[in-house]
Amino acid sequence: MLNQQPKHWLNFIGGAWVDSDRRIEVRDPSTDQVFATIASAGSEHVEQAMAAARRTVQQGALTRQRPAERAELLHRIGGEIRKLAEEGAEVASRENGKSVNDARDEFLESARYFEYYAGMADKIEGKSIPLGEDYIDFTCYEPQGVSVQIVPWNFPVSICARSLAPALAAGNAVVVKSPELSPLAITLLAVACERAGLPAGALSVLAGPGREIGAALVAHQDTNQIVFTGSVPTGQAIMRSAAERAVPCVMELGGKSAAVAFADADLDQLMASVQGGIFFNAGQVCSAMSRLLVQREIYDEVVGRVAELAQGLSIGGGRDNPDLTPVVSMQQRDGILSMCRDAEADGARLVTGGYPVDGLPGAFVQPTVFADVTPQMRLFCEEVFGPVIAITPFDSEAEAFELANGTDYGLVAGVFTRDLSRALRAAQVLEAGQVFVNEWFAGGIETPFGGNRLSGYGREKGQEALYSYVRTKNVAIRVSR
Ligand code: NAD
């Protein structure tokens, strides 16, 4: 397959495909069987990747180009990703469990990131600041330098593309640390970059243990920026390490996001959003609709309809493109089931699901609905990262917004109502980086995405994200007379 052996994959370091004497076994979550291995990088590979990135920055391999040339390069990378989408979807589905259709979409979305930021590569413009006639003052944007990007397993390809594309557009060199559980499909981004003619050294992709390889990249003296997407505890460890050398970070952490459904909501619209919101990618989405707050008048009806929806979902391996696929690993499955048992012990009402799927050997969790969940319960406050929705009743608007804001997270929030003023009040009050009105996941790669509070800081996507990958320099010139 491509530059790689079919069953053993390599790291991409400084423009070369590199093996290692250590390996990571990659399992298919629908069977729990190992189907491939990938070279597991060691400290020497970290040094090689960082040295290649540093050289690329020092030699100006990307910044000497006219920005319009960089734009063309990014367009070519987008095109190469499109060509790899079919093959990549098979691999991404197999290593992660997601459906082939969703995996293909992930590749196409990744191509879009490159095409979108290609359009911005030649528009990173500074400004002139008036200081009176004795001065000329202007700002310019410089790349950060070496951007270290640490990627989680739930959408490894598109989360990688989301940061890689603007970083390259701005002229940075990038070293990616892929997730241990899904390290294969992400390497196809390196194949696309190589085929499109990205200078060697501008991108390395390393697989390896986070606490070893990830931590070494974060602490490396040549790291100028860290972009991390993953869990809160790992993000906190990275921020502590980055503080040693004051390295700027973008942190995309988890969430426990709530949809607020008022009695006047269009319930068909709500149900479509519930299906995507909590069952897409088996609920392993940082911005999942993991909580649903429902006004008392429609509470029983909505609980019934969500349960009916959950019970009607088809379940199976990613190749069959069912509604619900396995979670990423048996360990993840067991963690989710243990949270379900805790929720029952805390007094939440298990309406449907909550157990493994009979007859399927892999990491399958039944689509799960808990009702009567209260703010004191762990299920209300903590991320499950699986197909489990927690439903809570409310009476007044004020109570609804308080419940929605009642966790330490602040990633996304949603409101379902026909009352525009109420929707706008919600948008003002809900403490989240993005608020959806009447459609969960509304928005796109053009709209800024990121969290507040424990969900992190910094924004990805949209024009705004580009400015995470540059630093501002001001030049003030005294004019002699
Ligand atoms: P994780 O934090 O365990 O791992 C994420 C990455 O960090 C992996 O590549 C891992 O190898 C690496 N890592 C682990 N320890 C490290 C260390 N000490 N130093 C450097 N790197 C280290 O998260 P995960 O289990 O892969 O992903 C699930 C979590 O990610 C969930 O909490 C989810 O909400 C969050 N997430 C957030 C977003 C977002 O955009 N906000 C997107 C996807 C996932």
Side-chain angles (χ1 to χ4, degrees):
M1 173 189 293
L2 305 160
N3 321 37
Q4 317 246 19
Q5 297 297 313
K7 294 207 164 172
H8 180 62
W9 295 58
L10 305 177
N11 289 312
F12 185 67
I13 305 177
W17 293 93
V18 178
D19 205 353
S20 162
D21 50 9
R22 295 192 303 173
R23 293 180 168 207
I24 295 174
E25 292 187 330
V26 186
R27 286 173 189 272
D28 178 339
S30 64
T31 59
D32 196 35
Q33 299 300 309
V34 174
F35 73 96
T37 55
I38 185 166
S40 182
S43 54
E44 70 277 21
H45 301 117
V46 168
E47 290 307 322
Q48 287 163 15
M50 291 303 292
R54 174 57 48 211
R55 259 195 318 277
T56 304
V57 169
Q58 280 168 348
Q59 293 170 356
L62 285 173
T63 45
R64 281 208 185 129
Q65 289 181 345
R66 285 182 71 102
E69 287 175 61
R70 237 169 28 238
E72 280 172 26
L73 172 63
L74 262 79
H75 261 299
R76 287 199 301 277
I77 296 172
E80 294 297 338
I81 294 172
R82 281 182 197 284
K83 289 185 207 160
L84 288 165
E86 281 308 319
E87 183 175 4
E90 294 288 329
V91 178
S93 163
R94 188 116 193 249
E95 67 177 335
N96 186 277
K98 65 181 65 197
S99 77
V100 173
N101 285 346
D102 289 346
R104 185 184 307 108
D105 286 347
E106 203 181 324
F107 271 86
L108 298 179
E109 184 182 332
S110 301
R112 276 279 293 137
Y113 278 117
F114 280 88
E115 290 156 1
Y116 179 81
Y117 288 106
M120 287 193 71
D122 55 357
K123 297 171 193 69
I124 310 174
E125 297 169 353
K127 59 184 173 185
S128 165
I129 299 174
L131 291 177
E133 60 185 20
D134 289 342
Y135 297 92
I136 301 289
D137 189 287
F138 63 88
T139 61
C140 49
Y141 291 110
E142 300 174 335
Q144 300 269 11
V146 178
S147 174
V148 163
Q149 307 189 345
I150 298 179
V151 180
W153 45 257
N154 57 344
F155 295 96
V157 179
S158 59
I159 287 177
C160 183
R162 181 175 86 180
S163 310
L164 178 58
L168 294 176
N172 297 275
V174 179
V175 178
V176 171
K177 212 297 277 166
S178 62
E180 294 91 317
L181 288 172
S182 302
L184 305 182
I186 190 174
T187 66
L188 298 183
L189 292 180
V191 171
C193 287
E194 188 184 28
R195 288 181 177 172
L198 184 74
L203 171 65
S204 292
V205 182
L206 304 180
R211 285 187 188 179
E212 206 180 299
I213 298 308
L217 289 170
V218 165
H220 200 280
Q221 59 184 10
D222 286 334
T223 296
N224 300 118
Q225 181 205 29
I226 299 158
V227 181
F228 173 72
T229 304
S231 64
V232 173
T234 307
Q236 289 167 327
I238 290 173
M239 284 186 274
R240 277 192 285 273
S241 173
E244 288 293 320
R245 292 187 311 104
V247 176
C249 299
V250 175
M251 286 281 147
E252 297 279 12
L253 308 178
K256 188 74 193 184
S257 304
V260 182
F262 287 97
D264 67 345
D266 176 333
L267 293 191
D268 292 337
Q269 209 169 30
L270 175 67
M271 286 308 132
S273 278
V274 168
Q275 176 159 355
I278 192 62
F279 299 123
F280 168 57
N281 214 43
Q284 303 163 116
V285 182
C286 49
S287 50
M289 186 201 287
S290 49
R291 291 185 298 144
L292 175 58
L293 312 176
V294 185
Q295 201 156 24
R296 187 102 42 199
E297 292 93 304
I298 55 166
Y299 184 71
D300 289 341
E301 184 185 358
V302 169
V303 171
R305 284 189 66 170
V306 175
E308 202 180 312
L309 165 72
Q311 286 157 356
L313 296 177
S314 59
I315 305 175
R319 267 157 207 243
D320 301 329
N321 289 307
D323 299 321
L324 189 78
T325 48
V327 297
V328 72
S329 67
M330 299 304 273
Q331 197 187 354
Q332 182 75 6
R333 182 198 75 165
D334 293 345
I336 294 166
L337 296 176
S338 144
M339 279 197 75
C340 290
R341 300 293 75 77
D342 280 4
E344 281 183 302
D346 285 346
R349 173 160 59 96
L350 179 59
V351 184
T352 186
Y355 288 91
V357 178
D358 283 343
L360 294 178
F364 291 91
V365 177
Q366 292 173 340
T368 302
V369 181
F370 278 99
D372 307 344
V373 177
T374 63
Q376 295 72 34
M377 296 176 188
R378 200 176 152 213
L379 187 63
F380 186 92
C381 322
E382 288 182 28
E383 194 174 40
V384 178
F385 227 55
V388 179
I389 192 163
I391 312 185
T392 304
F394 71 84
D395 292 301
S396 68
E397 179 180 307
E399 184 192 0
F401 295 161
E402 196 181 323
L403 286 167
N405 288 337
T407 74
D408 292 333
Y409 291 106
L411 188 55
V412 306
V415 57
F416 290 79
T417 178
R418 289 187 169 91
D419 179 338
L420 181 59
S421 293
R422 177 149 58 195
L424 292 174
R425 286 196 295 278
Q428 288 169 336
V429 170
L430 293 173
E431 293 185 46
Q434 40 279 304
V435 175
F436 307 130
V437 178
N438 291 335
E439 186 189 304
W440 199 262
F441 297 139
I445 67 166
E446 303 86 350
T447 52
F449 176 84
N452 303 337
R453 306 196 284 182
L454 273 189
S455 295
Y457 55 83
R459 293 292 178 266
E460 295 282 13
K461 302 185 173 181
Q463 294 189 25
E464 197 159 320
L466 193 69
Y467 295 92
S468 301
Y469 297 93
V470 291
R471 46 194 187 197
T472 307
K473 180 173 275 177
N474 188 76
V475 181
I477 305 163
R478 171 84 199 204
V479 179
S480 301
R481 306 214 171 261

